[in-house]
Amino acid sequence: MNIYIYLFLLFGAVFGLSTFSFKHFFSEGPHQVDTDEGGSNLGERVLWAMVCTFLWPIMLLTGLNSARILAKRKRLALAVKH
């Protein structure tokens, strides 16, 4: 049973580290938030990875919802152009 928990946490940590650059899709909606000129620091990356480690299924669902919203907006924009 422990292996499943370890895999869950490992996948969440990898998910968090790999999605840090796109975190606006998972938590703040489809619009990118203004960041400081210095970029991201280690503390922000670690915090994001820790949150995703335990909540990656929820983050995945919110990311899919943001992707759906963006696809719908893109379809509507293409329909208006034509």
Side-chain angles (χ1 to χ4, degrees):
M1 184 64 167
N2 285 340
I3 190 71
Y4 297 116
I5 295 171
Y6 296 143
L7 289 175
F8 180 89
L9 296 176
L10 178 66
F11 183 81
V14 170
F15 179 82
L17 291 173
S18 63
T19 60
F20 180 74
S21 300
F22 307 102
K23 69 180 184 177
H24 56 280
F25 289 125
F26 300 96
S27 64
E28 294 132 4
H31 299 289
Q32 192 165 9
V33 176
D34 295 331
T35 57
D36 296 335
E37 290 297 321
S40 62
N41 62 20
L42 182 62
E44 290 177 12
R45 189 173 293 271
V46 169
L47 180 64
W48 179 254
M50 287 174 29
V51 167
C52 286
T53 297
F54 298 102
L55 300 176
W56 68 264
I58 295 169
M59 299 304 233
L60 184 64
L61 290 174
T62 58
L64 290 172
N65 184 47
S66 292
R68 182 186 61 83
I69 290 170
L70 290 174
K72 184 178 177 182
R73 286 184 188 166
K74 193 174 189 177
R75 262 193 326 268
L76 289 174
L78 288 174
V80 169
K81 278 186 175 181
H82 294 281

